[in-house]
Amino acid sequence: MKDVHMTYQSINPSTEEILATFDSHTDHELEAIITTAHETYHVWRSKPIAERASLISRAAEILRQDRELFASFATQEMGKLHGEALVEVDLCADILDYYATNAVSFLSPKKIEVANVEAIVETEPLGVLFCVEPWNFPYYQLARVAGPNLMAGNTLIVKHSPNVPQCALAFEKLFIDAGAPLGTYSNVFLSNEQAASAISDARVRGVALTGSERAGSAVAAEAGKALKKSTMELGGSDAFIVLEDADLNQAIEWAIKGRFHNAGQSCIAAKRFVLVDDIAAEFLYRFTSAAMKLRVGDASDASSSMAPLCSKAALDQVEHQIKDAVAAGAVIALGGKRVDRPGFFLEPTILTNVGPDNPAYTQEFFAPVALVFQVADEAEAIRLANDSPYGLGGSVFTRDVERAKRVARALDTGMVYINQIPMSAPELPFGGVKNSGFGRELSDLGIGEFVNRKLIRVH
């Protein structure tokens, strides 16, 4: 994993104001953090599961009590609309409560029926986990690893994204305030080189990453070299398929939410709109009209309906993507330019005429940019949807539910939602295939990733 020095700095994406800067941990400090996490693991794993559950429930309670404070950090340094930030904080509390409530049943011993012997599979934690998490949902991504893995008895060291350090520190403090022993959940500000060193440390037993395909490739390589179990939740370019019998009112409503929520900065955002001929023209007209009504503005302003991108680098990148797409034949049906004001704002953008030889055809647009494709029929819609290096989520819109299920089964993805966009809930497994990664988070599957399923057989 190539070293890139990390500057942990809060910059308000709505105003470009520098809010705070934080020093990275030294190698000596990292060693102390790993040592503490390892020592605490032996204490934490031995606690009765009811005691762990009480502490995790207390953390959920604090999130709900202080939801405005947590949300304000996400709005200030990530640029998330305040209303969207509040929803995220509430979801995190739900995730923590879900695992506090259900971990007993998820982790309970399972008997195997074998003639003349007793066989039991017991579930034990692995140890210290090293987690690398992204900025786009600065608390939710943390809750997805913290809830299941802390309840399983593991301890966590978490390297959060450099542009959301206040969110990172707030989430670390959450568990301290809830009464967790020091070292149960530890935030670290590290360079990539230091992260690689942590992954190779013998006391670290697993690695979880949510992030880009590039980051996943680098971290998975380090984990593989060290023979560490890993999970990778990476990018996506979800297809939003609209068949000729779809309810267009419903489809348009979800299309706007699916593409422009969080300023399009979501791995499970609807990114490729695949429309059959019969409804393509009407859908594009209505979709464009609805997108034009979005109010791009300061994330803290309650009247804003679309926030800025997270950083200047993110804005520069999508501008290059749009430029390259147009040079290769794409047509801008809406937007395409940054907004002339302070902040990292891009107009809601819709691109058409994106052919297979266009670089945009296989890219992920992590921004409010929709790619619209027109196809002849259901079969061609499935083919185009699957013609992607990614396989995270997808949507199918049709009034015929059985038809939708048939299409869903044909899609090469980890998740498919019918007449809705992919969304997250504690009880629903989350993850993908192909370049979208491997492993699952949330649900009973999420707590089973970093555990030892130990067979005990009595003859």
Side-chain angles (χ1 to χ4, degrees):
M1 186 163 60
K2 183 180 178 181
D3 182 33
V4 177
H5 179 71
M6 295 294 184
T7 299
Y8 285 79
Q9 190 172 66
S10 293
I11 299 176
N12 188 327
S14 295
T15 64
E16 304 184 41
E17 175 190 2
I18 297 176
L19 304 174
T21 302
F22 299 85
D23 292 333
S24 295
H25 286 102
T26 65
D27 292 346
H28 178 74
E29 288 170 330
L30 174 59
E31 167 62 26
I33 289 168
I34 296 174
T35 298
T36 301
H38 181 62
E39 292 172 349
T40 299
Y41 162 67
H42 295 287
V43 176
W44 181 249
R45 68 166 295 173
S46 66
K47 287 184 179 293
I49 195 167
E51 189 174 336
R52 294 202 296 264
S54 177
L55 190 147
I56 298 304
S57 293
R58 173 59 182 151
E61 182 182 343
I62 294 171
L63 278 172
R64 292 190 176 98
Q65 288 174 351
D66 297 338
R67 63 196 294 266
E68 286 285 348
L69 176 64
F70 281 93
S72 68
F73 288 137
T75 296
Q76 290 169 14
E77 66 179 2
M78 183 250 139
K80 189 182 296 287
L81 293 178
H82 188 63
E84 292 180 357
L86 289 171
V87 170
E88 180 179 341
V89 173
D90 292 342
L91 176 58
C92 292
D94 291 343
I95 290 170
L96 297 185
D97 272 340
Y98 173 79
Y99 284 107
T101 301
N102 293 289
V104 169
S105 62
F106 293 157
L107 302 172
S108 62
K110 304 294 189 295
K111 290 186 177 181
I112 300 176
E113 297 298 326
V114 183
N116 302 320
V117 299
E118 180 184 3
I120 303 171
V121 175
E122 295 192 350
T123 303
E124 299 176 347
L126 289 184
V128 180
L129 306 181
F130 188 78
C131 308
V132 181
E133 302 301 327
W135 48 265
N136 59 326
F137 290 91
Y139 300 122
Y140 162 68
Q141 309 285 7
L142 304 181
R144 288 197 328 201
V145 291
N149 290 303
L150 292 180
M151 281 306 305
N154 297 308
T155 58
L156 272 60
I157 298 174
V158 182
K159 177 185 181 295
H160 211 340
S161 186
N163 61 322
V164 288
Q166 294 185 88
C167 292
L169 291 171
F171 209 77
E172 179 187 48
K173 184 175 182 294
L174 168 67
F175 292 103
I176 295 172
D177 291 346
L182 184 66
T184 305
Y185 180 103
S186 305
N187 174 73
V188 287
F189 294 149
L190 303 178
S191 70
N192 287 349
E193 184 179 56
Q194 288 175 306
S197 175
I199 291 170
S200 67
D201 192 292
R203 293 166 293 182
V204 171
R205 297 293 302 278
V207 181
L209 176 139
T210 296
S212 68
E213 182 182 355
R214 179 181 175 184
S217 178
V219 172
E222 293 292 341
K225 186 167 62 176
L227 298 178
K228 305 292 174 69
K229 166 67 187 292
S230 66
T231 59
M232 297 287 139
E233 197 279 281
L234 309 178
S237 189
D238 288 9
F240 185 104
I241 298 173
V242 186
L243 301 176
E244 72 280 354
D245 61 345
D247 179 337
L248 287 191
N249 290 329
Q250 179 188 58
I252 294 297
E253 180 181 353
W254 283 115
I256 293 296
K257 292 178 181 178
R259 179 61 285 198
F260 300 112
H261 175 79
N262 209 40
Q265 301 168 119
S266 171
C267 55
I268 54 169
K271 293 168 184 167
R272 296 178 297 142
F273 293 80
V274 183
L275 317 173
V276 297
D277 285 337
D278 290 353
I279 53 86
E282 182 180 358
F283 182 95
L284 178 58
Y285 173 76
R286 293 174 61 176
F287 183 43
T288 303
S289 299
M292 290 173 64
K293 296 176 183 177
L294 292 171
R295 186 179 186 278
V296 180
D298 192 308
S300 63
D301 187 340
S303 67
S304 298
S305 56
M306 199 181 83
L309 295 177
C310 71
S311 66
K312 182 179 184 299
L315 180 57
D316 289 343
Q317 178 180 342
V318 72
E319 281 195 304
H320 283 299
Q321 286 181 290
I322 294 170
K323 180 180 178 181
D324 289 346
V326 171
V331 175
I332 298 176
L334 179 70
K337 301 187 297 296
R338 67 173 66 194
V339 180
D340 186 16
R341 55 163 292 169
F344 311 126
F345 295 91
L346 182 77
E347 297 173 334
T349 298
I350 298 174
L351 300 180
T352 63
N353 199 41
V354 177
D357 58 343
N358 193 310
Y361 187 84
T362 55
Q363 289 175 344
E364 177 183 22
F365 280 77
F366 217 65
V369 179
L371 276 59
V372 175
F373 301 87
Q374 187 169 334
V375 296
D377 53 24
E378 173 188 309
E380 189 179 348
I382 293 170
R383 183 201 61 76
L384 194 150
N386 286 336
D387 191 16
S388 169
Y390 299 104
L392 189 55
S395 303
V396 182
F397 285 81
T398 170
R399 286 185 170 89
D400 185 339
V401 174
E402 292 307 312
R403 181 189 188 190
K405 290 179 182 177
R406 182 178 70 243
V407 173
R409 294 185 184 104
L411 297 180
D412 195 9
T413 64
M415 304 171 283
V416 182
Y417 281 57
I418 294 171
N419 293 326
Q420 194 184 31
I421 54 173
M423 302 178 76
S424 187
E427 64 275 12
L428 299 178
F430 191 105
V433 295
K434 299 194 289 188
N435 290 13
S436 290
F438 47 84
R440 292 295 180 269
E441 293 183 325
L442 301 177
S443 80
D444 61 323
L445 302 182
I447 204 170
E449 290 287 357
F450 293 102
V451 295
N452 175 21
R453 303 286 192 185
K454 179 184 288 184
L455 171 66
I456 299 176
R457 182 182 183 272
V458 181
H459 182 65

